[in-house]
Amino acid sequence: MKSKRFSLGLGIILILTNLTITLGFSQKNVPLPQEIEILPPSSDLPPGVAAFSGRWEGVWEGELESILIVEEIDSQRAKVIYAWGDAPRWRTDKGYYRYVAKVIPGSRTKIEWGGGERPKFTFEMGKDFKSIRGVREFRNSYAKITMKRAEK
């Protein structure tokens, strides 16, 4: 009987540890500004646009932990915070920026910012409204990410 309880307890610990690793990044790894204010989207926005509001987390190509926070969104633009951790292989040090992204409506809504001398980021809403797919383009190189909604 003790063996079954131990196995069950160990299984629960492993599941909770895995959830912590996949759903939450440490502030030490991915810095965020102290002032973050997520405003609720207008009730008249299409669901695919409104769904972007909030916090998203993921890892670019298995290398770079990132957080996207959509603080405010309307039918044309979104105020976002994009933050990332250290990625020695990519020669990237942790940091964050605030951007104003363009909202691109369609069957799958997108938000986009950057380009030219800076990386261009495009994020597309998933069918379930619980995930977004991103592409980072810069100087003919591309990276992909799937981010999940975080409840923080």
Side-chain angles (χ1 to χ4, degrees):
M1 189 66 167
K2 286 184 182 181
S3 157
K4 286 183 182 180
R5 276 190 263 154
F6 175 77
S7 296
L8 179 61
L10 182 60
I12 290 170
I13 289 170
L14 289 173
I15 289 169
L16 291 175
T17 301
N18 189 39
L19 285 174
T20 300
I21 290 170
T22 57
L23 295 180
F25 298 136
S26 164
Q27 286 292 110
K28 295 176 191 172
N29 294 333
V30 181
L32 291 170
Q34 288 185 348
E35 302 278 331
I36 297 173
E37 184 178 10
I38 299 172
L39 300 176
S42 172
S43 61
D44 64 347
L45 280 179
V49 175
F52 271 102
S53 180
R55 179 176 167 150
W56 304 86
E57 297 179 352
V59 181
W60 291 97
E61 306 283 332
E63 293 289 326
L64 181 63
E65 293 179 351
S66 296
I67 297 172
L68 175 66
I69 298 174
V70 178
E71 291 185 296
E72 187 176 349
I73 191 163
D74 62 33
S75 61
Q76 297 183 4
R77 65 182 181 88
K79 291 182 181 178
V80 304
I81 299 168
Y82 172 68
W84 63 94
D86 290 323
R89 194 177 112 198
W90 288 12
R91 298 179 187 163
T92 300
D93 295 327
K94 61 187 169 187
Y96 67 85
Y97 283 112
R98 290 180 184 269
Y99 296 99
V100 175
K102 178 181 174 183
V103 173
I104 304 167
S107 61
R108 294 248 182 103
T109 303
K110 297 178 184 178
I111 61 172
E112 182 176 275
W113 70 87
E117 292 300 311
R118 304 205 88 186
K120 177 182 174 185
F121 291 87
T122 305
F123 288 90
E124 179 181 81
M125 181 55 63
K127 288 181 184 179
D128 61 1
F129 296 165
K130 294 179 183 176
S131 65
I132 55 176
R133 289 188 310 276
V135 176
R136 178 189 182 274
E137 301 174 50
F138 189 58
R139 297 185 180 148
N140 296 319
S141 69
Y142 299 86
K144 294 180 181 182
I145 190 171
T146 297
M147 298 182 112
K148 300 288 183 187
R149 182 175 297 284
E151 299 302 324
K152 294 181 185 179

